[in-house]
Amino acid sequence: MAPQLQGYFDQVDLMSDSFIARLAAAVAIPSVSADPELRHHVFKMADFLEKLLLALGATVERRPLGIEPARPTLELPPVILSRYGNDPNKRTILVYGHYDVQPALKEDGWATDPFVLSVDEKTGKMFGRGSTDDKGPVLGWLNAIEAHQKAGIEFPVNLLMCFEGMEEYGSEGLDDLIKKEAKNYFKDAEAVCISDNYWLGAEKPCLTYGLRGVSYYELTVHGPAQDLHSGVYGGSVTEPMTDLVKLLGTLVDNKGNILIPGLSELVAPLSEDEKLLYQGISFEMQDLYDGLGSETSIHPDKERTLMARWRYPSLSIHGIEGAFSAPGAKTVIPAKVIGKFSIRTVPNMEPKDVDELVYQHLNFEWEKTRTNNTMKVGLGHAGKWWVSSPKHWNFAAASKAVESVFKVKPDMTREGGSIPVTLTFEQATGKNVLLLPMGSSTDAAHSINEKLDKRNYIEGIKLLGAYLHYVAVEPQIEQ
């Protein structure tokens, strides 16, 4: 018998204003994990979640992770472990999210203050850093608990929660904690659910069964001992920026073709059966254009666009550290510049093989420059790709939940982004991992004007609760 959810749905609607206010309070905390000056706000966000969880009657354990290895003056924010319910007659589900956010400054191009939730009542768009990535989904689980309590409806499962504060800066220390707790705090978990990704389009929900991995590199070119005046030294010194730009230009072209020899040979070949899967997915090129804010796509059709996002690797150049980037003009020759780029990896690209090809290529190109500067390339962090079975009972339950809330069957999709913790949970616990997104493709996570639509937030709270009801009773048939 299908769960009776109308009472829960009605309660979520009644509490929608308070749930939005709660999101506003969370967005107001600038928990930017990458910025040392804002690290204390990441701890403040951990306190915020702990207080809410305790008020809901959950148990909470803060797990300290020690000092950040790369920056020994900084303490890593804690992982918040929490449990709601301990009924041996109920299934136990483990959920994960993160409470840190990407950097954001008004001068980056935001239309509003990034740390004030700005609600456009006409469109229902709620703008603010972390609104969709990942504070909205994290609060969604807590809101689901509270709505059950206020509606007088029994919570269907024992819920284990794992919320970290370093996801946007490499998840330092998390893998070791998960491996340690797999047979301890997480030992009762029968399935895992993560809500930290997005719908493929803007209208139809999806469930995600695959992710690309990521290998993030730093390419350093060093020349003079200090920054120099270009009017005094220009033309008489070998400039590091010139060498760096030359090297970066050898990595990828403007059609997305990776220029590193041997890399494409690592990719699993496309089968005819897999190719057919892309035809039935609900996706319009206009969805992509809406997300881009332009029509600057590489491919003109759905199938090639989705394959480029999901099942083929990509290389992106992210920025240059050490170069002048502020408004105005500054005639400086930087002494050392660091180019930052990443490769999104796919089956069957093993990280160590990717590293070897990257280093080999850059060393070869460096020799061709015949420069007297010095070069160093290193891996910042890496996470492997992940693919699961969309036929697992965990996915079947989530599919029914989507139908109960949105009245449509979800698309089964892969995703171009990387959530390395997904693979870690799967390998450590031995349980199926489901990605159940709340936000849409137009949310601009990691970009300016990040937002979460009211509809996605409120209906998403309903979805998370409905999923827990369906997964509580779904026959555990392995496929």
Side-chain angles (χ1 to χ4, degrees):
M1 182 179 296
Q4 301 302 304
L5 295 167
Q6 194 57 52
Y8 168 67
F9 293 164
D10 291 343
Q11 188 64 45
V12 172
D13 286 332
L14 287 172
M15 301 181 70
S16 61
D17 287 345
S18 67
F19 292 154
I20 291 171
R22 178 171 288 164
L23 179 60
V27 167
I29 303 172
S31 51
V32 180
S33 51
D35 189 340
E37 299 300 318
L38 297 177
R39 180 60 59 86
H40 66 287
H41 286 292
V42 187
F43 282 83
K44 184 178 178 181
M45 189 65 206
D47 297 339
F48 178 88
L49 288 177
E50 181 179 17
K51 183 178 179 180
L52 284 176
L53 287 162
L54 291 173
L56 291 170
T59 60
V60 178
E61 295 185 20
R62 292 171 71 111
R63 294 298 168 84
L65 296 177
I67 301 300
E68 185 176 333
R71 299 186 289 190
T73 60
L74 289 177
E75 184 180 354
L76 291 165
V79 173
I80 301 295
L81 299 181
S82 183
R83 184 182 188 105
Y84 184 75
N86 197 19
D87 187 338
N89 296 314
K90 294 179 179 179
R91 289 180 181 166
T92 300
I93 303 299
L94 170 61
V95 301
Y96 159 88
H98 65 90
Y99 58 86
D100 64 319
V101 299
Q102 283 278 320
L105 297 171
K106 183 69 160 52
E107 51 266 36
D108 292 338
W110 281 74
T112 60
D113 186 330
F115 295 106
V116 174
L117 190 70
S118 302
V119 182
D120 186 326
E121 296 297 343
K122 290 184 179 180
T123 64
K125 296 178 180 179
M126 305 188 296
F127 296 94
R129 177 58 89 217
S131 55
T132 192
D133 183 21
D134 187 36
K135 291 180 178 180
V138 165
L139 292 179
W141 296 112
L142 278 61
N143 295 339
I145 294 173
E146 185 176 19
H148 276 85
Q149 293 177 347
K150 294 292 176 62
I153 298 172
E154 183 178 1
F155 205 68
V157 300
N158 302 313
L159 190 64
L160 295 175
M161 290 162 275
C162 176
F163 300 138
E164 69 152 323
M166 283 292 286
E167 195 273 347
E168 301 291 9
Y169 200 65
S171 293
E172 186 70 50
L174 184 67
D175 279 6
D176 289 341
L177 181 139
I178 292 172
K179 292 170 185 175
K180 177 182 177 182
E181 298 299 343
K183 302 302 181 185
N184 295 292
Y185 202 91
F186 305 147
K187 68 180 185 298
D188 298 332
E190 295 168 73
V192 182
C193 182
I194 296 173
S195 188
D196 186 23
N197 66 313
Y198 316 97
W199 295 356
L200 177 58
E203 296 298 327
K204 189 178 181 183
C206 67
L207 305 180
T208 304
Y209 67 93
L211 295 165
R212 291 194 294 188
V214 63
S215 295
Y216 194 101
Y217 301 93
E218 293 193 350
L219 173 60
T220 303
V221 179
H222 200 171
Q226 62 189 29
D227 290 355
L228 303 172
H229 191 304
S230 66
V232 177
Y233 293 99
S236 63
V237 63
T238 308
E239 299 192 16
M241 180 70 86
T242 305
D243 287 339
L244 178 64
V245 171
K246 176 69 174 177
L247 285 181
L248 293 176
T250 71
L251 297 173
V252 64
D253 67 20
N254 71 346
K255 299 302 180 185
N257 299 306
I258 300 176
L259 306 178
I260 300 172
L263 207 65
S264 61
E265 282 75 12
L266 300 178
V267 179
L270 175 67
S271 69
E272 286 301 316
D273 288 343
E274 182 186 357
K275 187 175 180 180
L276 291 174
L277 291 175
Y278 289 85
Q279 296 178 5
I281 292 175
S282 176
F283 178 80
E284 301 293 336
M285 290 301 291
Q286 190 59 47
D287 295 329
L288 176 64
Y289 302 151
D290 290 344
L292 295 175
S294 70
E295 294 189 11
T296 53
S297 59
I298 292 175
H299 305 288
D301 59 275
K302 176 180 78 172
E303 285 78 10
R304 282 188 291 173
T305 294
L306 293 181
M307 288 185 192
R309 286 173 60 172
W310 295 351
R311 68 102 49 220
Y312 288 116
S314 64
L315 190 152
S316 299
I317 298 171
H318 303 296
I320 298 176
E321 181 181 337
F324 174 65
S325 61
K330 184 178 181 182
T331 55
V332 66
I333 298 172
K336 181 176 78 171
V337 284
I338 305 171
K340 303 185 181 188
F341 68 95
S342 70
I343 299 175
R344 297 287 174 170
T345 56
V346 298
N348 295 319
M349 300 172 74
E350 293 297 324
K352 61 180 179 59
D353 296 331
V354 175
D355 292 348
E356 183 178 343
L357 290 174
V358 168
Y359 300 155
Q360 181 176 301
H361 169 76
L362 286 171
N363 285 325
F364 175 76
E365 293 295 334
W366 180 255
E367 290 301 318
K368 288 166 59 177
T369 65
R370 299 183 181 278
T371 182
N372 52 7
N373 287 322
T374 60
M375 183 273 284
K376 179 178 70 173
V377 59
L379 180 71
H381 61 266
K384 195 176 178 182
W385 45 267
W386 163 81
V387 177
S388 185
S389 170
K391 296 181 179 180
H392 191 276
W393 57 267
N394 195 23
F395 280 80
S399 182
K400 292 175 182 177
V402 169
E403 290 189 65
S404 72
V405 175
F406 294 99
K407 312 306 179 188
V408 64
K409 287 183 178 293
D411 281 332
M412 295 292 179
T413 67
R414 287 163 68 169
E415 179 59 72
S418 305
I419 311 175
V421 72
T422 308
L423 184 63
T424 304
F425 272 118
E426 182 178 84
Q427 292 178 335
T429 67
K431 306 301 180 181
N432 179 269
V433 181
L434 158 75
L435 295 184
L436 182 60
M438 174 183 282
S440 83
S441 65
T442 62
D443 284 353
H446 289 211
S447 187
I448 61 171
N449 301 321
E450 177 185 345
K451 60 88 176 169
L452 177 63
D453 294 333
K454 272 188 182 181
R455 172 192 181 229
N456 286 69
Y457 184 48
I458 301 305
E459 299 305 298
I461 296 167
K462 296 177 186 178
L463 175 62
L464 298 184
Y467 157 71
L468 295 176
H469 279 272
Y470 279 103
V471 83
V473 298
E474 184 69 22
Q476 293 186 348
I477 299 173
E478 301 289 343
Q479 293 194 50

